[in-house]
């Protein structure tokens, strides 16, 4: 799957994470002190990561996992600790470098760190795919197209997040433009959940499973599960 909008948004994200906010995101995903605003984002991301990992099998030994949009690698590391063979890929080569440097070497599983497009067919097939906060920057049409394509390369499930379109969140996104640049994320495209779920339910060979919202401070994200049937 590729489209003009996919390539356009992907290019913006690469520029943002590699040039504009690399230091801020490296700090956010570490134990270093951060602003109160970013502390709520850190806490929300930690909670969401736990949700998605809990939706995967407890024992991942021998399973092949795609961490699509791995960032600095926290989720990939936890999956490898549970025995998974992880392909961890991100559009930002700089974030992948940080992930590689931070990753422990004594894990039961293995991690193949890559910079590039998570949609590349060269990555192969997987037992499970995780896309945490990596689709939230794309329009619904692209989200559906991405998940449709990835579902054809998934034997088990895809667990992912989107940003739910709510009045409170839209107000918060507007307010966020008033904060210092270091406290801003790249443009988020909120999704209408009912419409998205209906379109995903119509995809062949998959069904919509669990869903859960994580919300607190300046972090709001909705986890969803697609299961092969």
């Amino acid at each position: 799957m590729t489209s003009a909008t996919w390539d356009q948004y992907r290019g913006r994200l690469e520029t943002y994470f590699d040039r504009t906010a690399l230091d801020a995101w490296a700090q956010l995903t570490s134990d270093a002190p951060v602003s109160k605003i970013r502390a709520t984002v850190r806490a929300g991301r930690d909670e969401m990561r736990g949700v998605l990992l809990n939706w995967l099998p407890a024992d991942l030994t021998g399973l092949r996992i795609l961490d699509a949009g791995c960032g600095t690698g926290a989720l990939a590391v936890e999956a490898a600790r549970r025995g998974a063979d992880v392909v961890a890929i991100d559009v930002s080569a700089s974030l992948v470098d940080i992930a590689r440097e931070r990753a422990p070497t004594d894990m039961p599983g293995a991690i193949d760190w890559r910079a590039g497009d998570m949609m590349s067919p060269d990555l192969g097939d997987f037992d499970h795919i995780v896309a945490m906060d990596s689709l939230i920057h794309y329009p619904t049409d692209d989200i559906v197209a991405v998940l449709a394509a990835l579902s054809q390369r998934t034997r088990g499930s895809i667990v992912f997040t989107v940003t739910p379109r709510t009045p409170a969140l839209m107000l918060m996104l507007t307010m966020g433009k008033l904060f210092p640049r270091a406290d801003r994320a790249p443009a988020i495209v909120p999704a209408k959940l009912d419409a998205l779920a209906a379109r995903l339910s119509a995809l062949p060979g998959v069904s919509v499973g669990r869903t859960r919202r994580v919300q607190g401070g300046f972090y709001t994200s909705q986890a969803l599960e697609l299961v092969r049937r």
Side-chain angles (χ1 to χ4, degrees):
M1 170 267 175
T2 184
S3 70
T5 56
W6 174 259
D7 293 337
Q8 179 184 22
Y9 279 77
R10 182 173 171 271
R12 291 175 183 173
L13 291 175
E14 183 176 4
T15 298
Y16 174 82
F17 286 111
D18 274 343
R19 302 178 188 176
T20 306
L22 177 62
D23 291 343
W25 274 86
Q27 184 181 46
L28 176 69
T29 56
S30 70
D31 294 328
V34 292
S35 70
K36 292 182 179 179
I37 293 169
R38 295 183 72 80
T40 65
V41 176
R42 175 188 281 172
R45 286 176 55 82
D46 288 346
E47 182 178 351
M48 180 58 78
R49 187 183 312 112
V51 169
L52 298 182
L53 285 167
N54 284 340
W55 286 359
L56 299 178
D59 184 0
L60 296 175
T61 302
L63 298 184
R64 196 163 189 261
I65 306 296
L66 175 65
D67 185 358
C70 65
T72 54
L75 191 147
V77 166
E78 289 304 314
R81 282 176 172 156
R82 287 158 56 174
D85 291 324
V86 185
V87 175
I89 189 167
D90 198 277
V91 67
S92 169
S94 299
L95 290 181
V96 173
D97 286 342
I98 293 172
R100 188 181 290 109
E101 292 171 1
R102 289 180 178 177
T105 58
D106 56 347
M107 298 177 291
I111 305 176
D112 178 7
W113 300 106
R114 301 195 189 190
D117 190 344
M118 64 185 183
M119 295 305 299
S120 172
D122 295 339
L123 299 178
D125 297 338
F126 298 91
D127 294 290
H128 300 278
I129 293 177
V130 183
M132 177 179 150
D133 293 353
S134 54
L135 298 176
I136 64 175
H137 309 291
Y138 297 95
T140 296
D141 286 349
D142 276 349
I143 293 174
V144 173
V146 165
L147 295 172
L150 290 178
S151 70
Q152 300 303 308
R153 296 160 48 194
T154 310
R155 290 177 284 271
S157 67
I158 303 174
V159 294
F160 64 98
T161 63
V162 296
T163 300
R165 186 179 182 90
T166 66
L169 180 61
M170 298 309 293
L171 176 61
M172 188 179 300
L173 292 177
T174 300
M175 291 174 58
K177 296 177 182 179
L178 303 176
F179 294 119
R181 183 173 296 276
D183 284 321
R184 298 182 198 170
I188 292 172
V189 184
K192 295 181 179 179
L193 292 180
D194 290 344
L196 175 62
R199 293 183 63 179
L200 294 177
S201 296
L203 294 178
V206 296
S207 58
V208 178
R210 291 167 283 191
T211 182
R212 178 174 167 184
R213 183 170 300 179
V214 172
Q215 183 170 353
F218 282 80
Y219 182 87
T220 300
S221 192
Q222 188 85 22
L224 296 99
E225 178 186 44
L226 281 183
V227 182
R228 292 294 304 181
R229 60 171 188 264

